[in-house]
Amino acid sequence: MAELRTDRLVLRRWRDSDLDPWAAMNADPEVREHLGDLLTREQSDASVARFQAEFDQRGFGWWAVEVQVTGEFIGFAGLDEVDDDVPFTGVEIGWRLARSAWGRGYATEAALTVLAHGFDTLELPEILAVTTATNLRSQAVMRRIGMTRDPADDFDDPTAPGPLRPNVLYRIARSATT
C-alpha cells in the first residue's frame, strides 16, 4: 500500500494507536452530524479492520491521516467503491476529520492528493463524491478540488435516516485534471 504525503500530511496505513482517537471522532455528534448514528467503540474498531481488509483486497481504500510535524492522527481520507444501494456506480472520494482539524485546509489538501493517486496511479476514469444535501462544508471541499454537481444526479439515500436521506453527487473526470 502506498503512503501518500502532502506538504503537511501523511496518508498512511492504520495503526493501533489510531483506534482511540478514531473512536472519539465516531462518538462526537458534530463529526457524525451528516453521517448518522454515533458509533460504539466496537463498531469504530470494526470499521478500521474493514478498511484495512478492503485496502488489502482492492489496493485502495481509506488511509489514516496524520499531521506530519506532530504525528497526530486527525482522521481519514481515501477512495471507496460506491455502495450497492445508490443509483450509480463508481469510486468515491471521501474524508472525515476530527473537529480540532477543521478549518485548516487539511480536507482539501488530503483530497487533492487522493484524487491524484486515483487518476495517476489507479488510472480511474472518474471519481465521485457523495454527501448529504445539508453538508455544505464537504460540498465546499468538493468544489475546491474541481468537482462539479449536476442537481439531476441528486438522490435520496434509502439507508439514511430522514433528514440525512437527501444526498448530492459531485463528479470529476480524469480528463478534467490533465
Side-chain angles (χ1 to χ4, degrees), residues 34-115:
H34 300 284
L35 301 167
D37 294 335
L38 302 180
L39 300 185
T40 66
R41 176 59 190 253
E42 294 76 22
Q43 290 169 318
S44 185
D45 288 355
S47 69
V48 171
R50 189 174 56 254
F51 298 159
Q52 293 185 86
E54 289 171 349
F55 218 121
D56 290 342
Q57 291 168 355
R58 298 188 302 230
F60 65 89
W62 303 116
W63 282 277
V65 177
E66 74 176 40
V67 177
Q68 268 192 46
V69 295
T70 64
E72 175 191 7
F73 169 88
I74 59 167
F76 82 10
L79 298 165
D80 194 15
E81 293 175 345
V82 172
D83 292 337
D84 292 335
D85 48 11
V86 295
F88 48 87
T89 60
V91 173
E92 75 174 295
I93 190 171
W95 48 85
R96 186 179 319 157
L97 300 179
R99 268 190 295 142
S100 62
W102 292 0
R104 299 177 183 207
Y106 291 146
T108 301
E109 189 171 326
L112 285 168
T113 297
V114 169
L115 271 182

Side-chain angles (χ1 to χ4, degrees), residues 16-39:
D16 288 344
S17 60
D18 301 329
L19 295 177
D20 285 343
W22 176 246
M25 283 178 57
N26 286 314
D28 183 331
E30 287 187 65
V31 171
R32 300 278 314 167
E33 178 183 3
H34 300 284
L35 301 167
D37 294 335
L38 302 180
L39 300 185

Side-chain angles (χ1 to χ4, degrees), residues 8 20 24 27-28 44 56 69 83 138 144-145 153-154 158 174:
R8 302 180 297 163
D20 285 343
D28 183 331
S44 185
D56 290 342
V69 295
D83 292 337
S138 278
R144 278 195 293 275
I145 66 173
D153 290 334
D154 294 352
R174 182 176 182 202

